[in-house]
Every structure is written in C-alpha cells, then in structure tokens.
Amino acid sequence: MLKGKLIHPDLIAALALCGHGDKILIADGNYPLDSKTGTAETVYLGLTPGLPTVTDVLEALQSAVCFEKAEVMNPGEGPLPEIFDEFRRMLPELSLDVIGKQEFYNACCQPCVRLAVSTGEKRTYANLLLTIGVA
C-alpha cells in the first residue's frame, strides 16, 4: 500500500518513465488536452467542476519529483491571473515564465512533454508546464 501523497497509479507509472528535462502539463478544465498535447500520456482527473484543482495536483507531484522550470500561459490583456501568485508560493525556488498563448500550446505539443494531466480546475489560465529537474 502506498503511503505518500501521490497514489494515482497512472501518474506514478508515467512519472517513472520521465527523466531530467522531460515536462509535465497540469491543465485546467478548459484546456484543449486532446489537440494541444502531442504524444504525451494523458490522465483525466476531473471529478467535478472545480475538483481537483491544478494546485492539488501540483502538491501531489511535488511530493514525488523535483522541478527546475515552470511556465504559464499569458492571457494577453488585463492583469495576470491570481493563480500565478499561488504557483509562485508553491514553487518558491523557481521563476514563473509567462509565455504567449500560441507559444505555450506549441511547447505543450513537443515530444519532451511526457505527461498531461486534466483537472476539474475552474480558474482560467491555470495551466502549468513543469520541467523535471534532478533529485
């Protein structure tokens, strides 16, 4: 029986195949996962609108792997989404790279994106592309 924070078998299996430099996308419930993730292993976790959140998934993944880079999608006009501050608090050792919408989609379709996780997150622009670091 697993005792850590991360117990989802599909996530654990996908992470076991990842190495330094591979990427993981944690996507909100609005993200077009099928068309904007290339060949990544996809895991659909959305249970109900709002659950789990992207930050719930991030917390579980942080208990299993180290990250060296974090990227988010620039919404364009207006202020940056509040969830970006939450990402910064959860990833204090990383800078949060804000990239354009199309650039983000292109980055998520690259072969180095090994895992894409769909959540029930309702907050917009709550997509997070993480690069795995070394232990």
Side-chain angles (χ1 to χ4, degrees), residues 2 6-26 39-45 57 61 64-65 67 111-118 130 132:
L2 297 172
L6 182 61
I7 61 169
H8 193 282
D10 294 336
L11 293 179
I12 292 170
L15 289 175
L17 299 174
C18 291
H20 181 229
D22 284 335
K23 296 187 178 196
I24 298 169
L25 169 66
I26 309 173
T39 60
E41 175 76 24
T42 55
V43 176
Y44 294 88
L45 293 182
V57 175
L61 291 176
V65 294
F67 298 110
C112 60
V113 179
R114 302 292 304 274
L115 174 62
V117 182
S118 179
L130 298 160
I132 296 175

Side-chain angles (χ1 to χ4, degrees), residues 37-64:
T37 54
T39 60
E41 175 76 24
T42 55
V43 176
Y44 294 88
L45 293 182
L47 177 64
T48 64
L51 292 175
T53 65
V54 168
T55 51
D56 291 335
V57 175
L58 174 58
E59 182 180 2
L61 291 176
Q62 283 180 297
S63 73

Side-chain angles (χ1 to χ4, degrees), residues 55-114:
T55 51
D56 291 335
V57 175
L58 174 58
E59 182 180 2
L61 291 176
Q62 283 180 297
S63 73
V65 294
C66 298
F67 298 110
E68 68 180 25
K69 185 176 181 182
E71 298 168 278
V72 292
M73 182 188 298
N74 188 338
E77 297 179 16
L80 294 178
E82 289 181 19
I83 195 168
F84 288 10
D85 289 333
E86 197 169 340
F87 291 155
R88 286 184 185 100
R89 281 191 299 277
M90 293 182 74
L91 300 162
E93 67 285 353
L94 303 180
S95 64
L96 193 64
D97 296 341
V98 181
I99 60 177
K101 184 176 184 176
Q102 194 57 51
E103 185 181 3
F104 188 88
Y105 284 149
N106 290 342
C108 291
C109 289
Q110 297 302 309
C112 60
V113 179
R114 302 292 304 274

